[in-house]
Amino acid sequence: MYFTETAAAGFITTADDLAKFNQAVLKNEQGNYIGSNILSNQLIANMIQAQPHTGGRWSMSYVVDSENNSLGFAGFNRGWTSLTRSVTDKNIGYVILNNSSVGGVNNEIDQLLLSVIKGS
């Protein structure tokens, strides 16, 4: 399906690039953000910090899930859904993409993956 919208539906990327975006907020063996080869550590730290007046829920670039120590976001439109999550305390991330308009499926997959990663 092709969209003429230039906002959310106009954003086109690959699963690999979306995964790289998620990896950017994870840390390497030296304790630097993986994305620091493109953006400074300080800029990434600012990008992921919960912003005022959001109830601790939103950063400049991600949805903040402080309960699960993770960052991510979800998207959907007619014919597709997506969900990404970077679990910062476990230093792992994932991307879920499907060609369905049923967003609940991604949420169930997300909760399954998160429970395995968190060991609960």
Side-chain angles (χ1 to χ4, degrees):
M1 179 161 304
Y2 294 96
F3 296 93
T4 58
E5 295 93 339
T6 58
F11 180 71
I12 298 172
T13 189
T14 65
D16 188 50
D17 283 345
L18 201 51
K20 287 176 185 174
F21 184 78
N22 268 17
Q23 282 181 316
V25 299
L26 301 177
K27 294 192 175 180
N28 61 23
E29 295 81 25
Q30 292 77 36
N32 295 313
Y33 291 108
I34 293 172
S36 67
N37 61 334
I38 298 171
L39 303 171
S40 72
N41 277 311
Q42 184 60 52
L43 180 57
I44 295 171
N46 290 342
M47 287 173 57
I48 65 175
Q49 182 176 344
Q51 295 300 299
H53 312 294
T54 67
R57 186 84 174 118
W58 292 93
S59 74
M60 292 179 2
S61 304
Y62 299 88
V63 174
V64 177
D65 180 354
S66 56
E67 180 181 333
N68 291 301
N69 296 313
S70 66
L71 304 159
F73 54 90
F76 61 92
N77 214 321
R78 192 174 56 227
W80 61 266
T81 59
S82 65
L83 186 145
T84 71
R85 187 183 291 267
S86 295
V87 185
T88 55
D89 67 332
K90 298 292 185 177
N91 216 32
I92 190 168
Y94 52 88
V95 176
I96 304 168
L97 305 171
N98 72 58
N99 58 349
S100 167
S101 295
V102 182
V105 171
N106 282 6
N107 293 338
E108 290 180 26
I109 295 169
D110 176 46
Q111 290 307 304
L112 174 64
L113 290 171
L114 189 57
S115 70
V116 170
I117 290 167
K118 291 295 203 168
S120 52

